[in-house]
Amino acid sequence: MPRRRDQICLTADDTGLLKRVDVEKAATTHIWGVQAAGGGVERACWAPGGAAGVGLQDGTVRFWDAAGSGAAPLCEFTAHASAGLGTAGLGVCGADGASSARVVACDRSGCVRVWPWRPGGGDGDGDDDGANESGAA
């Protein structure tokens, strides 16, 4: 008889935390992020390899290994030019794990930012290295 997979879901909150929940046990099994005023999660998405990402109120985008227990993000991107405009949309295109995958985020002004998917990296230093940006139409 095949082994049934654990029923796991992810949820995020307005304090900046991403939580892995075991549905059968009705228990939180891991928490990522840091609670901070103004740092709440506005959007969440899946990424290649089972990573989970969040877009925060300050425009920061972070991804963690959803199956792991490490506290450090796999990668982080900073919406430098539009900081403070939050995250109105978030997704990963080409999410087949290929090197062509891209993180796409949009802020409330309509500015779209695109970064290469780089687990273990991101832009890290708060500048626009590796990012493409498009303003509102």
Side-chain angles (χ1 to χ4, degrees), residues 76-82 102-105 111-118 122-134:
E76 179 174 315
F77 305 95
T78 305
H80 179 75
S82 56
R102 299 289 184 261
V103 176
V104 181
C111 180
V112 176
R113 304 211 5 116
V114 180
W115 298 275
W117 169 247
R118 290 185 270 187
D123 67 2
D125 58 5
D127 66 15
D128 291 334
D129 291 350
N132 293 318
E133 186 170 330
S134 169

Side-chain angles (χ1 to χ4, degrees), residues 20 29 39 42 75 99:
R20 182 177 60 214
T29 59
E42 293 189 319
C75 53
S99 62

Side-chain angles (χ1 to χ4, degrees), residues 38-130:
V41 175
E42 293 189 319
R43 298 289 178 261
C45 74
W46 291 102
V54 296
L56 304 175
Q57 289 172 333
D58 67 1
T60 301
V61 175
R62 290 188 184 117
F63 288 88
W64 289 273
D65 176 0
S69 59
L74 291 172
C75 53
E76 179 174 315
F77 305 95
T78 305
H80 179 75
S82 56
L85 293 176
T87 307
L90 178 63
V92 178
C93 300
D96 60 359
S99 62
S100 62
R102 299 289 184 261
V103 176
V104 181
C106 177
D107 68 23
R108 289 188 295 269
S109 75
C111 180
V112 176
R113 304 211 5 116
V114 180
W115 298 275
W117 169 247
R118 290 185 270 187
D123 67 2
D125 58 5
D127 66 15
D128 291 334
D129 291 350

